[in-house]
Amino acid sequence: MADLDAIVALDLDLFGPEAWSRDTHTDELCNPFRSYLSVVEDGVLIGWGGVILAPVSDLLTIGVARSHQKQGIGARLLRALLDEAIAGGAREILLEVRADDAGAQRLYARAGFEPIAVRPNYYVATGQDAVVMLKTLQ
Ligand SMILES: CC(C)(COP(=O)(O)OP(=O)(O)OC[C@H]1O[C@@H](n2cnc3c(N)ncnc32)[C@H](O)[C@@H]1OP(=O)(O)O)[C@@H](O)C(=O)NCCC(=O)NCCS
């Protein structure tokens, strides 16, 4: 919760019209069935992400500040979030990613996620499709 303001700002910068409201972020960070991680450098938030703690988990969101992308931070954050999901009892984990976001899909494929379905018009603000990806954890 100490990072709430910075998370709201980073989410808005990265996701624009698809960013969550401040109330949604607050609810998420306070939810005992979630685990959120922050990446902080010199006191500044440069990344964050969260997973559901349940047998079938979900990668809820992940983002790295534009100034710090393509340095391996996203891949490390993803691995840490998968560890959180496993520690929370997850056997598999799902995610949704924009169908036109080849970069994010490569990141997930390298981490062992496989595409299993497409959800048409998943992103309400933009009408874009989502690819659903699945990874078995244990
Ligand atoms: C998706 C996202 C989290 C990835 O974060 P990231 O920190 O850039 O990820 P990584 O650095 O681990 O990997 C990204 C690329 O950088 C490359 N890279 C990693 N370390 C590198 C380095 N030291 N030097 C150069 N390139 C590097 C990776 O090989 C990868 O290449 P690719 O684009 O060919 O796949 C980030 O781009 C982001 O926040 N995007 C906006 C929000 C978003 O779309 N989130 C996902 C929603 S589903």
Side-chain angles (χ1 to χ4, degrees), residues 24-113:
T24 297
H25 280 292
T26 303
D27 290 347
E28 282 290 315
L29 294 173
C30 294
N31 187 328
F33 299 102
R34 305 283 190 265
S35 182
Y36 278 86
L37 297 178
S38 290
V39 184
V40 177
E41 185 181 86
D42 298 331
V44 176
L45 183 90
I46 56 167
W48 101 110
V51 290
I52 292 179
L53 303 179
V56 180
S57 179
D58 196 278
L59 178 70
L60 293 161
T61 189
I62 184 169
V64 173
R66 297 177 194 278
S67 55
H68 288 74
Q69 291 178 1
K70 295 196 175 294
Q71 298 172 24
I73 295 168
R76 287 172 58 196
L77 177 56
L78 178 57
R79 276 198 298 274
L81 288 166
L82 295 179
D83 287 343
E84 288 293 305
I86 292 167
R91 293 190 305 272
E92 50 190 6
I93 181 166
L94 291 158
L95 63 79
E96 294 86 25
V97 56
R98 283 201 321 276
D100 65 355
D101 191 345
Q105 287 175 43
R106 271 197 304 276
L107 175 73
Y108 300 138
R110 274 199 297 268
F113 283 86

